[in-house]
Amino acid sequence: MRTLGRTFRLAITTILQIGLDILRGQLKVKETVVMGWYLVSVTAVPAFLMAIPFGVIVTIQIGNIINQLGAQSLLGAASGFAVIQQAAPLASGVLLGGAGASAIAADLGARTVREEIDAMRTMGIDPIQRLVVPRVIAAAVVAPLLALFIILVGVIAAFYLAVIIQGAGPGSYWQSFGSFASQRDLLLGMIKASIFGVIISVIGCQRGLEAKGGPRGVADGVNATVVVSTVGIIGVNFIITLIYTVFFPLQIG
């Protein structure tokens, strides 16, 4: 519970610092861009490789049931919902947690055990402003872009599988997709992904800044980052989905 409290405190402090940096014009743009490019470079190819199985698996599983009911025209709607609302945000969060947040934890953890963080504080440099803020902003921006890329690849893969293997009509697929999926669903997926990006980056920074015990401590921090960030985004995804379902029930466009 104390660790969770420190994580929340770091998140609130970081958000406040972001607001102050924007108002003062002191945002570390270069550091943010460099970190954002790094996150893209380590997650783009895995995102492509994950998006195709997501779309294919969803289409196969749901398509078998829909075919038994004789409602092949609804296959596009089912695939769209699964990929846009759930698969894409979670996949982007898992990828960033496994590749991005672990790298953040390792970098800050190495700086901490080498006492670089203490040296920064001694020189009057705030580690949160200098190191944490750029990483949180980069993750919050890259995560929705990554989710959008996964949606594009996943939906196209699901479309070709539905048309070529399961015999769905191209027109009926896109018609049902457009009738059920809406811009609001896409916006939900982007907001989810951005929130996941903030969560995993804050966890990675917190674990890195609190690393101790030499290389073993850094390794433990990296492992904890991957596990905690994955569990955290799954729990938050459940809460967001529940709230969204209550206030925005399913409607046919």
Side-chain angles (χ1 to χ4, degrees):
M1 293 300 296
R2 288 195 298 267
T3 302
L4 182 61
R6 292 195 302 271
T7 304
F8 274 114
R9 183 175 61 186
L10 178 60
I12 294 173
T13 304
T14 302
I15 293 173
L16 294 176
Q17 188 63 55
I18 291 174
L20 290 175
D21 288 347
I22 293 175
L23 291 176
R24 297 172 180 174
Q26 298 178 349
L27 196 63
K28 302 298 184 293
V29 178
K30 181 179 179 180
E31 180 79 13
T32 303
V33 172
V34 170
M35 194 64 208
W37 176 251
Y38 172 77
L39 294 177
V40 170
S41 65
V42 298
T43 56
V45 175
F48 178 80
L49 298 177
M50 286 183 66
I52 295 177
F54 268 125
V56 170
I57 291 173
V58 168
T59 303
I60 292 176
Q61 294 293 329
I62 299 178
N64 291 333
I65 299 175
I66 289 179
N67 288 333
Q68 294 178 19
L69 298 176
Q72 289 88 349
S73 60
L74 297 178
L75 189 57
S79 300
F81 269 121
V83 175
I84 293 176
Q85 289 192 10
Q86 302 299 329
L90 282 175
S92 64
V94 170
L95 286 173
L96 283 176
S102 59
I104 291 174
D107 178 33
L108 296 186
R111 294 171 185 246
T112 300
V113 298
R114 292 197 302 262
E115 300 182 351
E116 292 182 16
I117 304 299
D118 293 335
M120 292 178 64
R121 292 192 178 100
T122 302
M123 292 185 294
I125 301 174
D126 186 3
I128 294 179
Q129 181 184 21
R130 182 64 179 83
L131 300 176
V132 177
V133 167
R135 285 158 174 78
V136 172
I137 295 177
V141 173
V142 170
L145 298 177
L146 195 63
L148 190 63
F149 177 68
I150 294 174
I151 290 173
L152 177 63
V153 176
V155 170
I156 292 176
F159 167 74
Y160 278 104
L161 182 69
V163 172
I164 295 174
I165 297 180
Q166 296 187 327
S172 63
Y173 182 94
W174 292 118
Q175 183 178 8
S176 64
F177 180 88
S179 297
F180 285 86
S182 64
Q183 295 179 353
R184 190 172 60 195
D185 299 321
L186 181 62
L187 180 62
L188 172 66
M190 299 298 100
I191 293 175
K192 274 186 179 182
S194 186
I195 292 174
F196 295 163
V198 172
I199 291 174
I200 63 174
S201 58
V202 169
I203 292 174
C205 291
Q206 186 262 337
R207 292 291 178 174
L209 293 175
E210 295 186 1
K212 56 184 177 180
R216 175 63 182 272
V218 177
D220 291 340
V222 172
N223 292 335
T225 297
V226 176
V227 175
V228 175
S229 61
T230 302
V231 174
I233 63 176
I234 291 175
V236 172
N237 178 69
F238 171 77
I239 296 174
I240 295 177
T241 302
L242 182 62
I243 295 174
Y244 180 82
T245 304
V246 171
F247 289 97
F248 301 100
L250 175 63
Q251 295 180 353
I252 300 177

